[in-house]
Amino acid sequence: MNYRSDIRNIAIIAHVDHGKTTLVDAMLKQSKVFRNNQMVGELIMDQNALEREKGITIMAKNTAVVYQGVKINIIDTPGHADFSGEVERVVSMADGCLLLVDSIEGPMPQTKFVLRLAMEMGLKPIVVINKVDRRNSRIAEVLKLTEDLFLELAISADQLDFPVLYASAREGTTVAELGMKGKDIAPLFECILEKIPPPQIESGPFQMLVSNLDYDSHKGKIAIGRIWRGKVAPHDPVVSVGADGSVTHYEISEVFTYLGLKHLKVEEAEAGDIVAVTGIDKVNIGDTIASPEQPEALPRIEIGDPTVEMTFGVNTSPFAGREGSFCTTRQLRARLYRELETNLSLRVQGTDSSDTFLVKGRGELHLAILIETMRREGYEFEVSKPEAITKVVDGNLVEPVEVLTIDTKDEHIGVLTEMLSKRQAQLANMRSDSHDNVRLVFHVPTKGLIGFRNAFSTATRGESIMNTTFLGYEPYHGDIISARNGVLVASEQGIAVTYGLNNAQGRGFTFIEPGTLVYEGMIVGLNSRLQDIAINVCKEKKKTNMRASTSDIAVKLTHPMQLSLEQAIDFINNDELVEVTPENIRLRKKLLTQAQRLRDISSSRRSVK
């Protein structure tokens, strides 16, 4: 077996906010892939607007640097569990992994999930403990926890022999030993060259596994992946081997490799390179592109099953078509099925209604990001409350269960334990330090986490952090009764006015401001009691000749609750929908008129009897 000593392929693994993207920034800047006067800013790899807004990596990406004549291909992976499908499809391109761990938080659930995947694929690990310059870091304890994690997950003994570096990604420094003064990122580069094995080169004709897709308005579809065998050049004849074994003939148009943020057009690429090729119109992630001489398929990328589902439907509110550019069933269907080409952990299927589609994903955030992306593209539609996906195994109903990890203060333990017990959670572990900080680990059904994030933030006053990762399937735990109060529902269509909203605020909290267009059945607030109330927020004050001395004093309304998209999805009940348009996010009842809702309640009661 031959090796290419001029290349290293490495995936960077880290939990959310452990400094992965900042470390990649330092690697790019110090490898001199940018001009000295080039303004590149921070979070260089997170080019997507949503990634910058939320501060998380959503899409897996490729970049490369050159150090001492060796090209290091870097695969940047998401750190959030809801985007673990992104990790599963790209980690196969790497020969080693760089595990980044926060010096305070230590290994987190998503770290464990991705590291297990890397171990199963035989990747050689390097551990980097980041943020060592923070005052309250606990480096020795974090290293011990990391070693315990490797002992649990390692497949072979050599995976336990991993180097450890200490970094301050923000300062752009790494050191091999604690106490040393860091100057730059060079120790990390040297460790990668020394410890990460070069790619193995198999003899034979061209063979490449497609791990990612991109699109260019001029070049068309771009297939991205690692070459496992042979060479490829422009105008080479190739075949695409699909999931069903079908073979389609193409000709390569262009071949690109990566350097920094650029695609470099090359005349030839060899085994071990991570490349992007054009000229193949119909190809999917997991397909194999190979030489016609030997059209063998590589093992397809295995993606875990989705755990949460919700419906996407054409907007049926009275305001339908006013604010969106894409509003029809055909446009919605085309967009959802186009998403399946790159979002492997997503599933889309039809329903009894031709205007509604059932969309399944890895979690609420996974689906919320899709909704927000479509909204910004000009789509107008409505979505239902997320539900956990159950299935039948050996005649028994089972449901997904997740590991919930909470970092909080001692004072919040009681309220969190009470909240989670009502959601069928079981405490699996609790660990505290000497500074009133505690880590709680629960096993909780996925359905118990739907709508929990907002209640969690409120209960802990935003002072705590929660993370989840998929654990497996367990026998169905039973239904969870919603504890949410009723809502204030607009009884008439029109424009909300101060007088009507003042009356509504006497019943609870409002979601809208004066001047907001409303329609019958639209949710305008949260009731202080359990029942839903129909209320006229468009009602104006009657004019009279008799005026009190204080009649001209303006009514002061309390500030309305502004719900984000994620909060709105968490908030609604099963008989409600979120109306999503490029300009607004509205809450509404599925049945808009009061008569329809009363009739539905009556029929439900009769069916129970």
Side-chain angles (χ1 to χ4, degrees), residues 564-576:
S564 65
L565 175 61
E566 289 91 340
Q567 290 172 331
I569 293 171
D570 282 348
F571 176 83
I572 59 174
N573 275 338
N574 293 328
D575 64 335
E576 298 161 356

Side-chain angles (χ1 to χ4, degrees), residues 333-593:
R333 179 191 294 109
R335 177 63 181 85
L336 288 174
Y337 280 95
R338 188 166 72 248
E339 183 70 19
L340 295 179
E341 295 181 3
T342 55
N343 200 337
L344 287 196
S345 52
L346 197 75
R347 305 284 189 275
V348 178
Q349 64 186 64
T351 64
D352 295 337
S353 170
S354 60
D355 296 333
T356 305
F357 305 91
L358 187 64
V359 182
K360 304 178 181 182
R362 283 288 179 88
E364 286 180 272
L365 184 60
H366 183 205
L367 295 174
I369 291 294
L370 171 61
I371 294 168
E372 180 64 24
T373 301
M374 292 174 60
R375 185 175 83 89
R376 296 186 182 197
E377 292 173 356
Y379 286 84
E380 181 178 315
F381 53 101
E382 59 191 25
V383 298
S384 68
K385 181 180 180 64
E387 295 181 358
I389 300 173
T390 59
K391 58 184 181 180
V392 177
V393 177
D394 297 329
N396 299 314
L397 183 65
V398 296
E399 65 177 340
V401 176
E402 302 188 37
V403 177
L404 169 66
T405 304
I406 296 176
D407 290 302
T408 186
K409 297 287 186 182
D410 285 339
E411 61 184 284
H412 301 311
I413 294 176
V415 65
L416 289 174
T417 303
E418 182 182 357
M419 289 169 58
L420 286 165
S421 65
K422 296 177 180 178
R423 294 171 177 265
Q424 301 176 346
Q426 295 180 342
L427 182 64
N429 192 14
M430 181 171 68
R431 186 175 66 249
S432 61
D433 60 14
S434 56
H435 303 286
D436 295 331
N437 299 312
V438 63
R439 173 170 290 181
L440 304 171
V441 180
F442 293 88
H443 291 176
V444 55
T446 299
K447 66 175 183 287
L449 291 173
I450 295 174
F452 174 70
R453 192 175 295 272
N454 292 329
F456 166 79
S457 298
T458 303
T460 61
R461 301 190 293 276
E463 297 174 345
S464 304
I465 300 172
M466 62 170 279
N467 293 286
T468 62
T469 188
F470 179 67
L471 176 63
Y473 285 87
E474 293 183 1
Y476 190 69
H477 291 69
D479 295 333
I480 296 176
I481 306 301
S482 174
R484 196 203 72 182
N485 285 354
V487 291
L488 306 178
V489 185
S491 60
E492 292 188 14
Q493 183 167 325
I495 301 175
V497 297
T498 302
Y499 183 73
L501 287 173
N502 186 50
N503 291 335
Q505 289 188 347
R507 300 294 189 98
F509 302 97
T510 54
F511 297 153
I512 60 173
E513 298 177 337
T516 303
L517 287 171
V518 300
Y519 54 80
E520 184 180 4
M522 179 173 160
I523 298 172
V524 296
L526 177 65
N527 191 10
S528 57
R529 301 191 178 186
L530 296 177
Q531 299 83 12
D532 294 341
I533 296 179
I535 194 163
N536 185 6
V537 292
C538 306
K539 182 180 180 181
E540 297 184 1
K541 187 176 181 180
K542 299 291 186 181
K543 295 180 180 179
T544 66
N545 291 327
M546 301 297 294
R547 295 181 181 273
S549 59
T550 58
S551 61
D552 294 328
I553 298 177
V555 174
K556 290 188 177 181
L557 299 174
T558 57
H559 192 71
M561 296 170 59
Q562 299 284 349
L563 299 182
S564 65
L565 175 61
E566 289 91 340
Q567 290 172 331
I569 293 171
D570 282 348
F571 176 83
I572 59 174
N573 275 338
N574 293 328
D575 64 335
E576 298 161 356
L577 298 169
V578 179
E579 179 187 350
V580 181
T581 77
E583 298 180 16
N584 288 290
I585 296 171
R586 303 183 182 96
L587 308 182
R588 52 160 287 186
K589 288 290 186 179
K590 286 183 179 179
L591 302 175
L592 293 179
T593 68

Side-chain angles (χ1 to χ4, degrees), residues 36 51 58 105 159 251 376 574 597:
N36 291 334
E51 291 180 319
I58 296 171
E105 294 184 355
Q159 290 178 330
E251 180 182 296
R376 296 186 182 197
N574 293 328
R597 294 194 293 275

Side-chain angles (χ1 to χ4, degrees), residues 17 102-104 130-138:
D17 201 32
D102 189 287
S103 65
I104 297 175
N130 191 28
K131 305 181 184 180
V132 294
D133 53 339
R134 291 178 66 172
R135 195 181 314 169
N136 52 345
S137 62
R138 49 192 188 107

